[in-house]
Amino acid sequence: MSVLIKNGRVVTAADDCRADVFIEGERVAVIGRDLTLPADRIIDAARRLVLPGGVDPHTHMEMPFGGTESSDTFETGTRAAAFGGTTSIIDFAIQDRGASTIEGLDAWHAKAAGRAAIDYAFHMIITDLPGHRVPEMRRLADEGVTSYKLFMAYPGALLSDDGTIFRAMRRAGEDGTLVCMHAENGVVIDELIRIALAEGHVGPKYHALTRPTRLEAEGAHRALAIAEVARAPVYIVHLSCHDALTELRRAQERGVMAHAETCPQYLLLDAAAYDEPGFEGAKYVMTPPLREKWNQEQLWRGLRSRHLEVISTDHCPFCLRDQKELGRDDFSRIPNGGPGVENRMSLIYHHGVNAGRIDLNRFVELTSAAPARIFGMFPRKGTIAVGSDADIVIFDPERELTISRSDPRTHHMNVDYSAYEGFQVRGYTETVLSRGRVVVDDGEYVGSPGDGQFIRWGPYGGAYAPLAASLRQEPYF
C-alpha cells in the first residue's frame, strides 16, 4: 500500500520544514514539496505536525511481580501505546535465577508474538551470571537483543552483586552492547523497610520514605564507577532526582560513557501524591518513588543540558483494586509500578514544548530519536528519512484534552486508574502509521493484534560508540 501525507510540518530531531511524505510499502520513499505521486491513500496533515513515531525504551508488559502480573498484556499495552503516538517499545524479558537467559528470551517471545499492535524489542534482565553463562550475552546479541538490565535493588529476587555487574559490563564493552542499570542501594533500603514495618508504618507513603534520594545517588555513583573501570557504556534507567543527576553529570564530565533516562512521573508528579486519602497513594507506589517537587525543575534542566537523553515511561501498571490491594496492610507488598505508555507524548509536548522548557526538535529527540540511536535502531526508527520505517504520527498541536480514565480518547490502558487524572494537555495524537500501515485513524483504532514485529536491533549506538569501539581494541590491563 502507498500513502501520501500532504501539507504537514515535518519535524525530526534535526529538521523542521513544510513537506509532503510519500510512503511505499513499509518505508518512506520520497520527502518533498508539493508531491503529486499517485497513492492508495492521501492524508491531509494541514496544521498538523508530522513526527517520527515515539520509541519508548522502558515498558513492562505482563511482568510478574509480587505475586501478580502487570495488568497490560502485549496486546492491550501496545495498542494503548499506539493511541498515544508510540510506535516501538522495548520491553524486558526476564531470566529466572539459575536458568538460561535464552529460555527467558523464548518466554517473552511467546508472550508478544502475534499479539503486539506495534513493533517491539527486548532488553534482557539478568538475575545471575556465573562465568560459564557469560557467553550467553553474545548469543543474545546474535538474536537481536543487545542490551541487558541489572538491578541494585530487590535483594533475593533481582539484585546483582557488584562482581556480577562488573562481569556483565566488561563483556558488554567487549561485544559492543549496553548494560542498563536500576541504580538504588537495595540492601540498605531493605533495612529501612524492616525498621519502618517494625515501628508500625504500613501506609503507601513509607514506600517513598524508605527509598531516599541519597540511596539512588549512591547506586548511580557505584554503577557509573563500575562502568568506568570496565571501560563500558552504561544506561541509568528511570533517574528520578537531583542527587542521582549530580552523580551522572560528574561521571559524564570525567568521560564515563554514561546515558540516562527519566520519566514523565518524575517530571510532573511529586511525593505529595502519597498523602491522598485512604489507600489512594498506592497508585503512585513505583520504584524509584515520586520525589519532592523541587527535583522536577532540576530534571528539566538535565534534559535541556543533555545530561539526560531520553524520556521513557517505565510503564508497569497494576490495578488499584485486587493488585495494589495486596499491600494494604504492608506497603512493601504493594506491586511497584504505574501506567503511562499512552500519555507520554501529549504530556511531554504540553509540559515541555508548550511550557517553553524544550523545543520541538528536542521533544522528538527525547521521545524517539535518542532511544532509537542508543539502542541500535536508528535510522530505521526514530526519524523520518528516505528508507526509514514509515512509523509516523500525525499530531494536532492545538487540540486540548483532559486526561482521565473515563475519557476513551486518553485512556486505553488495561488499568483502573490514570496516574495523570485531570491533567490538561494541548497536543493530541490523531493518526498513527506503523511501518506504513495506519493503525490509529483520527483517534480510532484500525489495527490488529500481531501488526507489530520483533525488532532485531544492532549494537550500542550512543554518542560514545566510537570511543567504546576503540577501547575494545586495547588490552584490558
Side-chain angles (χ1 to χ4, degrees):
M1 183 175 180
S2 58
V3 178
L4 179 59
I5 302 172
K6 295 279 294 178
N7 307 315
R9 179 182 174 187
V10 179
V11 182
T12 69
D15 303 304
D16 185 346
C17 62
R18 301 284 176 183
D20 302 337
V21 180
F22 179 68
I23 298 159
E24 195 162 30
E26 297 187 348
R27 304 292 178 89
V28 174
V30 182
I31 302 172
R33 290 284 185 94
D34 302 321
L35 298 181
T36 58
L37 297 166
D40 297 314
R41 176 167 179 186
I42 297 176
I43 298 173
D44 185 3
R47 298 180 300 281
R48 304 291 188 269
L49 303 177
V50 180
L51 308 173
V55 177
D56 189 341
H58 193 153
T59 67
H60 296 282
M61 310 299 179
E62 302 181 44
M63 177 183 174
F65 190 96
T68 187
E69 187 174 88
S70 58
S71 57
D72 260 321
T73 65
F74 276 91
E75 181 177 343
T76 64
T78 56
R79 184 171 63 235
F83 272 110
T86 289
T87 55
S88 302
I89 63 165
I90 311 179
D91 208 83
F92 290 84
I94 303 176
Q95 170 212 16
D96 289 334
R97 189 173 291 273
S100 165
T101 57
I102 305 304
E103 293 174 5
L105 177 60
D106 289 343
W108 256 256
H109 273 308
K111 293 184 181 193
R115 300 172 67 198
I118 56 174
D119 288 354
Y120 60 94
F122 294 127
H123 311 280
M124 173 55 66
I125 290 177
I126 294 175
T127 57
D128 66 346
L129 192 67
H132 70 273
R133 274 212 307 276
V134 170
E136 288 184 8
M137 294 176 68
R138 179 67 261 169
R139 184 174 168 192
L140 288 167
D142 292 340
E143 294 290 327
V145 176
T146 57
S147 67
Y148 326 96
K149 184 179 181 182
L150 284 84
F151 285 77
M152 292 175 160
Y154 308 119
L158 295 171
L159 181 141
S160 294
D161 62 41
D162 290 352
T164 298
I165 294 168
F166 175 77
R167 193 178 306 126
M169 286 185 174
R170 182 178 178 184
R171 183 55 189 256
E174 292 169 352
D175 287 347
T177 56
L178 179 63
V179 169
C180 304
M181 286 303 310
H182 178 126
E184 287 185 299
N185 190 318
V187 174
V188 176
I189 287 169
D190 265 19
E191 285 297 302
L192 292 174
I193 291 172
R194 182 186 61 79
I195 293 167
L197 293 174
E199 293 177 351
H201 303 307
V202 299
K205 72 177 181 179
Y206 288 95
H207 172 76
L209 293 174
T210 55
R211 303 183 103 91
T213 60
R214 288 308 305 154
L215 294 185
E216 183 182 347
E218 189 279 333
H221 173 84
R222 188 157 33 102
L224 293 160
I226 294 171
E228 185 174 12
V229 174
R231 294 193 292 196
V234 64
Y235 182 94
I236 305 296
V237 297
H238 50 47
L239 190 147
S240 73
C241 62
H242 174 64
D243 283 349
L245 178 59
T246 298
E247 297 295 340
L248 173 72
R249 184 172 61 246
R250 288 172 176 167
Q252 290 170 334
E253 288 171 353
R254 66 177 185 267
V256 180
M257 295 176 283
H259 308 276
E261 66 181 23
T262 191
C263 308
Q265 55 266 36
Y266 305 121
L267 295 166
L268 303 174
L269 303 174
D270 65 81
Y274 295 114
D275 293 324
E276 288 190 6
F279 192 62
E280 295 295 303
K283 294 182 291 189
Y284 310 101
V285 168
M286 57 191 66
T287 305
L290 303 181
R291 303 304 191 180
E292 292 182 2
K293 190 175 181 63
W294 66 268
N295 287 276
Q296 294 175 359
E297 188 51 42
Q298 298 301 317
L299 295 177
W300 282 109
R301 289 182 182 179
L303 293 167
R304 286 194 296 274
S305 66
R306 299 180 179 270
H307 294 295
L308 291 170
E309 296 176 69
V310 173
I311 299 175
S312 71
T313 61
D314 193 8
H315 176 79
C316 189
F318 297 96
C319 291
L320 183 61
R321 314 303 170 201
D322 301 327
Q323 291 186 301
K324 297 274 189 179
E325 287 276 357
L326 293 170
R328 177 170 282 278
D329 299 318
D330 177 350
F331 70 87
S332 69
R333 297 184 61 195
I334 300 172
N336 286 203
V341 73
E342 183 171 0
N343 306 128
R344 177 181 67 138
M345 301 288 275
S346 285
L347 286 168
I348 299 307
Y349 182 84
H350 181 78
H351 292 277
V353 178
N354 289 343
R357 292 184 170 107
I358 55 175
D359 64 23
L360 258 175
N361 298 111
R362 185 66 174 150
F363 166 74
V364 172
E365 189 169 18
L366 291 165
T367 59
S368 183
R373 186 178 296 111
I374 291 167
F375 292 107
M377 299 180 186
F378 193 88
R380 178 180 171 186
K381 307 291 187 184
T383 192
I384 299 174
V386 173
S388 66
D389 282 359
D391 296 346
I392 294 178
V393 172
I394 313 299
F395 190 86
D396 184 348
E398 299 301 326
R399 188 165 178 181
E400 297 182 353
L401 292 145
T402 299
I403 295 174
S404 174
R405 180 180 180 269
S406 63
D407 188 341
R409 297 172 299 175
T410 65
H411 192 97
H412 300 87
M413 298 170 287
N414 186 36
V415 64
D416 61 357
Y417 70 94
S418 171
Y420 305 98
E421 185 72 34
F423 272 60
Q424 295 182 337
V425 293
R426 178 162 52 86
Y428 175 74
T429 295
E430 194 171 78
T431 297
V432 178
L433 291 83
S434 173
R435 282 181 291 104
R437 177 182 299 191
V438 176
V439 295
V440 176
D441 193 352
D442 196 17
E444 296 294 326
Y445 182 67
V446 295
S448 302
D451 283 344
Q453 295 181 356
F454 173 65
I455 309 166
R456 296 174 58 92
W457 26 306
Y460 162 66
Y464 295 106
L467 174 59
S470 70
L471 290 175
R472 290 198 298 274
Q473 306 306 313
E474 299 176 7
Y476 183 73
F477 291 105

